[in-house]
Amino acid sequence: DAMVIQNPRYQVTQFGKPVTLSCSQTLNHNVMYWYQQKSSQAPKLLFHYYDKDFNNEADTPDNFQSRRPNTSFCFLDIRSPGLGDAAMYLCATGDGSGANVLTFGAGSRLTVL
Amino acid sequence: GQNIDQPTEMTATEGAIVQINCTYQTSGFNGLFWYQQHAGEAPTFLSYNVLDGLEEKGRFSSFLSRSKGYSYLLLKELQMKDSASYLCAVGDYKLSFGAGTTVTVRA
């Protein structure tokens, strides 16, 4: 089945210790997104790649970076996690059309100690 | 930017009907989407509206009025498994989400 896979599902890190979350897709979608979702809040778009073009949301902290080495893979790097970065990180893909349905991965839950 | 409002919580009885309203103000609109999210899981797509009117998909229907910036999701014949958060989202190829409405279905 075509899908979006995130690893790890659960990540525990220490304050300030870098973390990398990965996302892979078999849908061959042009666009890959990273959302941050805290408890009982709306998913918040951090950035997205439209093919190789990187697009950062204006309020995404510099602490968050992303890489997309090829169509299938995208990584979220958190350089120095703070307690406020504890959240569920959701990867999603879309075909980039005007009203495109996003397909989400199962999410990576980050805990910062 | 986007401003999306939906009620925080709703409770209903198994077999009943529940309507979840969503109002939005947006600078760019190509569609309104509804997603279902069970606790601790990723959102899954339910329906979307591009034009005004009602879209029906089995037990779920969604309505859109673009002039009023208003949508609703109608859940019929509620089942226990429908207990979840329902997220309203608007945008084009980038979606902005509301905070979600937590629906609790009671026996």
Side-chain angles (χ1 to χ4, degrees):
Chain A
D1 286 345
M3 58 178 59
V4 180
I5 300 171
Q6 292 187 241
N7 283 298
R9 293 290 312 278
Y10 302 92
Q11 176 73 60
V12 179
T13 191
Q14 292 179 333
F15 184 94
K17 187 173 182 180
V19 161
T20 294
L21 307 177
S22 75
C23 178
S24 65
Q25 57 135 341
T26 60
L27 296 159
N28 203 33
H29 279 166
N30 294 331
V31 194
M32 295 187 78
Y33 309 82
W34 281 104
Y35 283 86
Q36 178 194 63
Q37 187 178 28
K38 297 184 178 180
S39 182
S40 301
Q41 296 185 21
K44 178 179 178 296
L45 183 63
L46 295 174
F47 25 58
H48 73 277
Y49 274 93
Y50 200 123
D51 294 323
K52 295 181 179 180
D53 293 333
F54 176 72
N55 296 271
N56 203 30
E57 295 301 299
D59 56 355
T60 298
D62 293 339
N63 198 25
F64 291 84
Q65 298 191 340
S66 184
R67 297 169 283 138
R68 187 178 187 186
N70 54 53
T71 301
S72 302
F73 284 88
C74 195
F75 299 94
L76 170 61
D77 299 308
I78 308 176
R79 290 191 297 183
S80 182
L83 297 179
D85 297 327
M88 174 77 90
Y89 290 88
L90 297 166
C91 174
T93 72
D95 62 13
S97 61
N100 80 130
V101 174
L102 300 189
T103 301
F104 284 87
S108 293
R109 181 166 294 283
L110 177 66
T111 300
V112 182
L113 301 177
Chain B
Q2 323 279 17
N3 187 25
I4 302 167
D5 289 315
Q6 48 182 131
T8 305
E9 295 180 338
M10 301 183 76
T11 302
T13 306
E14 197 174 15
I17 299 172
V18 69
Q19 178 174 315
I20 306 170
N21 296 323
C22 171
T23 57
Y24 64 90
Q25 295 173 324
T26 179
S27 57
F29 180 89
N30 268 7
L32 187 138
F33 298 76
W34 286 97
Y35 283 78
Q36 180 191 59
Q37 186 176 27
H38 285 100
E41 298 181 13
T44 55
F45 169 74
L46 286 179
S47 70
Y48 80 93
N49 297 69
V50 177
L51 301 175
D52 291 353
L54 187 68
E55 293 284 341
E56 297 188 81
K57 289 180 71 174
R59 295 189 298 115
F60 296 167
S61 303
S62 57
F63 172 83
L64 175 66
S65 170
R66 288 173 296 172
S67 62
K68 296 181 179 177
Y70 168 71
S71 173
Y72 68 72
L73 178 69
L74 197 67
L75 284 63
K76 294 178 278 190
E77 300 170 18
L78 279 173
Q79 302 175 8
M80 299 299 287
K81 67 179 181 179
D82 297 329
S83 292
S85 182
Y86 292 84
L87 303 168
C88 174
V90 297
D92 43 37
Y93 76 94
K94 288 198 311 179
L95 292 186
S96 294
F97 286 84
T101 299
T102 300
V103 172
T104 302
V105 181
R106 294 182 175 168

